[in-house]
């Protein structure tokens, strides 16, 4: 049994999609970020960084519960545990890692900073947000170009690279991708997966 502490953010969604894909039995626990529940003592005791998602695997290979945070680390852990969504050969694995970290270091931080400058910053900083939005669009154009010759991010196989990137793309406004047909095709392809569809039913 795995306990998943999450919320309906990009990071939270990728952890729950992965759990749905692997078929591990798990229980979702909503940590309402808007109410500050991630800063409550019980959650801080579980994860001192006060971030979601966090999982507790009560049946780990170590023979005792393991607590793990950071969505990328959770994807890698569950891929290794299940033996799925992560290729065995070195080259293919490297390609998966390349796209996994591309999101973690480039796209993900950009998206958060746009949200911060538009919503959390007081006063808002629309010029900074616009600059970062344009940078994000440049990333999306590269992403679209890559998908022109690849069914999935790492080639012909669906992997944790796709799972990592999907929530941040699929939950954007549709008009952002109106000129990016390959991203649209990729989104539609992933939306046909039953695990992705089930994830949409998990409460935020």
């Amino acid at each position: 049994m795995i306990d998943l502490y999450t919320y309906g953010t990009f990071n939270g969604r990728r952890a729950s999609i992965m759990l749905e894909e692997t078929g591990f039995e798990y229980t979702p626990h909503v940590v309402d970020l808007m109410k500050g529940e991630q800063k409550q003592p019980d959650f801080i005791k579980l994860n001192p960084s006060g971030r979601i998602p966090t999982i507790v695997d009560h049946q780990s290979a170590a023979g005792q519960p393991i607590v793990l945070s950071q969505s990328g680390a959770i994807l890698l852990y569950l891929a290794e545990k299940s033996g799925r969504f992560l290729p065995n050969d070195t080259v293919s694995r490297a390609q998966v890692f390349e796209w996994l970290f591309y999101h973690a270091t480039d796209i993900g931080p950009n998206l958060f900073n746009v949200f911060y400058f538009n919503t959390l910053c007081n006063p808002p900083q629309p010029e900074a947000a616009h600059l970062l939005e344009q940078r994000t669009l440049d990333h999306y154009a590269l992403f679209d170009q890559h998908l022109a010759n690849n069914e999935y991010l790492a080639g012909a196989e669906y992997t944790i690279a796709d799972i990592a990137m999907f929530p941040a793309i699929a939950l954007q406004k549709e008009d952002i991708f109106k000129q990016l047909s390959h991203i649209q095709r990729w989104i539609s392809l992933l939306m046909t997966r039953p695990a992705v569809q089930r994830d949409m039913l998990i409460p935020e």
Side-chain angles (χ1 to χ4, degrees):
M1 170 62 74
I2 295 174
D3 285 307
L4 168 65
Y5 297 85
T6 189
Y7 194 64
T9 64
F10 302 152
N11 292 335
R13 286 294 183 196
R14 66 175 61 99
S16 51
I17 289 173
M18 185 61 174
L19 283 163
E20 289 290 338
E21 289 283 11
T22 55
F24 290 126
E25 185 178 359
Y26 77 102
T27 301
H29 306 274
V30 177
V31 180
D32 193 330
L33 304 185
M34 299 300 102
K35 295 180 179 178
E37 291 179 357
Q38 74 278 19
K39 299 299 184 182
Q40 294 302 308
D42 286 348
F43 188 73
I44 291 295
K45 183 177 180 180
L46 183 69
N47 179 4
S49 73
R51 298 289 187 270
I52 61 94
T54 298
I55 65 169
V56 182
D57 185 357
H58 298 278
Q59 296 175 317
S60 75
Q64 58 187 9
I66 179 174
V67 179
L68 192 63
S69 63
Q70 294 295 323
S71 60
I74 290 171
L75 292 182
L76 287 166
Y77 174 76
L78 295 174
E80 296 283 4
K81 181 180 176 73
S82 66
R84 302 178 66 194
F85 310 118
L86 185 60
N88 292 321
D89 68 280
T90 302
V91 173
S92 296
R93 287 172 74 93
Q95 291 172 336
V96 170
F97 295 153
E98 178 183 26
W99 284 101
L100 184 66
F101 297 136
Y102 181 60
H103 180 274
T105 60
D106 291 298
I107 293 180
N110 256 10
L111 291 173
F112 175 79
N113 287 332
V114 169
F115 173 74
Y116 176 82
F117 285 124
N118 274 331
T119 307
L120 301 181
C121 192
N122 187 19
Q125 301 292 324
E127 292 184 3
H130 178 71
L131 176 64
L132 291 170
E133 284 172 346
Q134 292 304 307
R135 184 177 297 176
T136 302
L137 290 175
D138 290 341
H139 290 316
Y140 288 159
L142 176 63
F143 181 26
D144 188 72
Q145 181 181 1
H146 176 74
L147 286 172
N149 301 307
N150 296 275
E151 185 173 16
Y152 297 102
L153 279 176
E157 183 179 348
Y158 175 71
T159 69
I160 58 173
D162 300 287
I163 296 172
M165 191 80 77
F166 177 74
I169 301 293
L171 298 178
Q172 296 293 314
K173 295 179 181 178
E174 291 184 6
D175 61 353
I176 292 177
F177 308 113
K178 61 184 178 182
Q179 303 298 327
L180 303 175
S181 60
H182 305 295
I183 288 181
Q184 292 181 35
R185 187 269 308 165
W186 176 81
I187 292 173
S188 297
L189 178 62
L190 266 62
M191 284 295 294
T192 65
R193 298 186 66 85
V196 173
Q197 295 171 7
R198 290 193 299 271
D199 173 72
M200 299 301 178
L201 300 176
I202 296 174
E204 297 186 2

